[in-house]
Amino acid sequence: MYKFLVFYPVFFLITACSLSSTTHQKPIFVEPTDLQNALLGHNIVRENLGLNPFHWSDKMVRYAQEWANHQATTKNCKMQHRPHHEGKFKQVYGENLFWASPKRWSDGKVERQRITLLEVIKAWTDEVVDYDYQHNSCTAGEQCGHYTQIVWRETRAVGCAIALCPDQSQLWVCNYDPPGNYIGERPY
């Protein structure tokens, strides 16, 4: 079915950075199969529209991990895109963000949610119901920009990463090259 997809061997696991020298955080591991499923999840949506498939980019993974780590260590996983102005963290690629709160139990226990990258991508692609292609707009009060970035015709590469914050929340970041979501342009 996906003869055109080439799954590069992935021998690494993405981990969240240590959040401070006094707080030891257990790293989050993303299994290689989860990364392959993430590529497949993106590409199924693209294939349904007759778009070329993405390839997995280690460069985008590093770029995404850099931002996830920065937000985890300085902003407690605040879901904020890279800035468009000049500087170390200037946005040069397309970006989708996903934040997950921690689980809080009645006995006071706090733990991270078990979320897969495929679930994150599904949440973004589910925005299709709020995208009106004819008017090239989102339903009033709804988001659809995550979806339109995924189906941006000119985009060719994707890479994703995650960071865990001290409060056990998590921030997922996927970056896209070349970027999309240009105002006034249709994604496909």
Side-chain angles (χ1 to χ4, degrees):
M1 178 174 162
Y2 284 96
K3 293 177 185 175
F4 56 84
L5 288 179
V6 177
F7 290 112
Y8 298 99
V10 183
F11 297 107
F12 61 91
L13 299 175
I14 301 170
T15 62
C17 65
S18 295
L19 299 175
S20 78
S21 58
T22 58
T23 305
H24 178 68
Q25 295 292 320
K26 185 177 180 182
I28 296 176
F29 294 102
V30 178
E31 297 294 336
T33 55
D34 198 24
L35 299 176
Q36 290 176 346
N37 287 337
L39 183 63
L40 188 63
H42 277 93
N43 284 335
I44 287 171
V45 174
R46 292 180 64 82
E47 180 185 44
N48 288 337
L49 295 170
L51 301 171
N52 290 329
F54 285 155
H55 70 271
W56 191 255
S57 167
D58 291 342
K59 179 181 178 180
M60 292 297 97
V61 170
R62 288 187 300 275
Y63 188 79
Q65 192 68 63
E66 176 187 55
W67 187 244
N69 290 349
H70 172 73
Q71 291 302 97
T73 58
T74 63
K75 306 287 184 179
N76 197 30
C77 284
K78 182 177 181 184
M79 198 167 81
Q80 176 182 0
H81 287 282
R82 284 175 177 257
H84 290 284
H85 59 76
E86 295 296 324
K88 178 181 178 183
F89 293 110
K90 181 180 191 263
Q91 182 66 270
V92 293
Y93 300 108
E95 185 170 78
N96 281 346
L97 303 177
F98 182 92
W99 179 82
S101 66
K103 283 184 182 179
R104 297 187 185 279
W105 301 96
S106 59
D107 65 359
K109 183 178 177 184
V110 178
E111 62 186 23
R112 74 175 174 91
Q113 292 188 55
R114 302 287 178 186
I115 296 174
T116 68
L117 187 49
L118 201 53
E119 291 170 314
V120 169
I121 293 162
K122 182 181 181 319
W124 292 332
T125 59
D126 283 351
E127 292 176 1
V128 66
V129 299
D130 295 312
Y131 178 63
D132 179 346
Y133 183 82
Q134 182 179 351
H135 295 101
N136 193 30
S137 63
C138 299
T139 303
E142 300 297 332
Q143 289 187 28
C144 63
H146 301 102
Y147 167 73
T148 56
Q149 175 57 79
I150 290 170
V151 297
W152 200 262
R153 180 181 305 279
E154 287 79 25
T155 302
R156 297 289 182 252
V158 63
C160 303
I162 183 176
L164 179 65
C165 281
D167 68 354
Q168 297 298 301
S169 65
Q170 49 195 296
L171 179 65
W172 293 83
V173 181
C174 287
N175 286 111
Y176 302 86
D177 184 25
N181 282 345
Y182 292 103
I183 296 172
E185 293 185 25
R186 292 185 191 279
Y188 53 90

